[in-house]
Amino acid sequence: MPTNPPNKTILLIGASRGLGYAMAAEYLKRGWNVVGTVRGKARTLLHDLADRSQNRLEIETVDICEPDQIAALRARLSGRMFDLLFVNAGVTNNPSETIADVTTEEFARVMVTNALSPMRVVEALHDLVSPTGTIGLMSSGQGSVSNNTMGMREVYRGSKAALNMFMRSFAARHSSDSRAMVLMAPGWVRTDLGGPDGRLSIEESVPNLVNVLLSVQDAPALQYLDYLGRTIPW
């Protein structure tokens, strides 16, 4: 397991449940400080984790689908510096729904949540990441155009492929950036999003995913990797 010096901090967007919550717990276990976000005012598992964190976990509130809330978060965090910004966001629709079936409203909901909003977060907060830090986003193996030989989950696949493309554009615009950038595919995990039939448990995915994020922190440029560090074809 990679080790890190103390006093490193991750800004983890979307940490109230599922993979995001597990990532917050894993980074705390490894000695990091965590600033994790939730969407509303309701108490979440993250609040319980904060109570046990010995003041190493701060909670911020933001709905990334609301640009004004992203701007307000940016203002609140002004002057701080993070070693890792990781954006964890994802919704899905009916997996059997094709492009021929999906309504415009449902298509827009998935695309805004999975592609547009995470990139708005990156655009707004990337300058809060240390020059030797890492910018990461939760993508999916289903965002690979090359690997799509089965179809299914068309809208979700399209949203993650769009996220990958937008992040490649961001990386191209910041080609001289010394920070590592990574699109992470966690595998098919048994979460509310992944469903009960997922091949992996959270415990099988997240510690390995964190290992990968730690391993790329000194490697500038954008990579598209799975939870075992394997490169995924675009």
Side-chain angles (χ1 to χ4, degrees):
M1 178 183 298
T3 58
N4 286 272
N7 300 320
K8 287 201 169 189
T9 304
I10 175 176
L11 174 55
L12 181 54
I13 307 297
S16 63
R17 60 181 182 148
L19 296 176
Y21 169 80
M23 287 182 66
E26 185 68 21
Y27 272 98
L28 287 173
K29 185 188 302 183
R30 299 184 189 220
W32 283 52
N33 300 313
V34 177
V35 178
T37 73
V38 299
R39 277 194 301 170
K41 296 181 179 179
R43 187 173 179 86
T44 69
L45 290 172
L46 194 68
H47 292 84
D48 297 335
L49 185 62
D51 290 344
R52 306 190 300 270
S53 72
Q54 300 178 325
N55 298 317
R56 290 194 295 117
L57 170 56
E58 304 170 49
I59 298 179
E60 288 280 355
T61 301
V62 65
D63 182 341
I64 67 169
C65 292
E66 300 293 336
D68 289 349
Q69 292 193 28
I70 298 174
L73 177 64
R74 174 66 180 77
R76 292 196 300 272
L77 297 176
S78 179
R80 298 188 64 174
M81 191 61 60
F82 298 92
D83 299 284
L84 169 59
L85 166 64
F86 193 88
V87 186
N88 172 52
V91 296
T92 190
N93 61 315
N94 183 332
S96 64
E97 203 167 37
T98 68
I99 289 297
D101 302 324
V102 68
T103 66
T104 300
E105 293 75 19
E106 182 69 344
F107 180 85
R109 180 185 73 90
V110 176
M111 284 290 182
V112 167
T113 304
N114 291 1
L116 175 60
S117 296
M119 289 308 305
R120 281 177 167 164
V121 171
V122 170
E123 296 283 4
L125 303 182
H126 72 89
D127 64 332
L128 301 181
V129 180
S130 162
T132 58
T134 303
I135 299 171
L137 300 95
M138 193 72 82
S139 184
S140 168
Q142 294 187 45
S144 169
V145 174
S146 298
N147 282 351
N148 183 9
T149 59
M150 297 177 59
M152 299 294 292
R153 298 183 178 271
E154 292 184 15
V155 178
Y156 180 78
R157 284 182 186 274
S159 71
K160 290 298 187 177
L163 174 67
N164 293 351
M165 179 61 78
F166 296 151
M167 191 58 192
R168 285 198 71 164
S169 294
F170 176 89
R173 282 189 279 114
H174 296 82
S175 59
S176 62
D177 201 317
S178 60
R179 294 170 295 189
M181 303 180 199
V182 60
L183 291 152
M184 287 299 314
W188 185 14
V189 187
R190 293 187 292 275
T191 62
D192 290 343
L193 178 66
D197 299 324
R199 186 172 56 83
L200 301 171
S201 67
I202 287 178
E203 294 74 19
E204 291 170 314
S205 172
V206 167
N208 285 305
L209 186 153
V210 171
N211 286 343
V212 174
L213 286 170
L214 296 177
S215 73
V216 303
Q217 59 189 354
D218 295 320
L222 176 64
Q223 300 183 72
Y224 180 21
L225 304 172
D226 75 3
Y227 71 106
L228 294 177
R230 298 173 296 197
T231 297
I232 301 174
W234 298 98

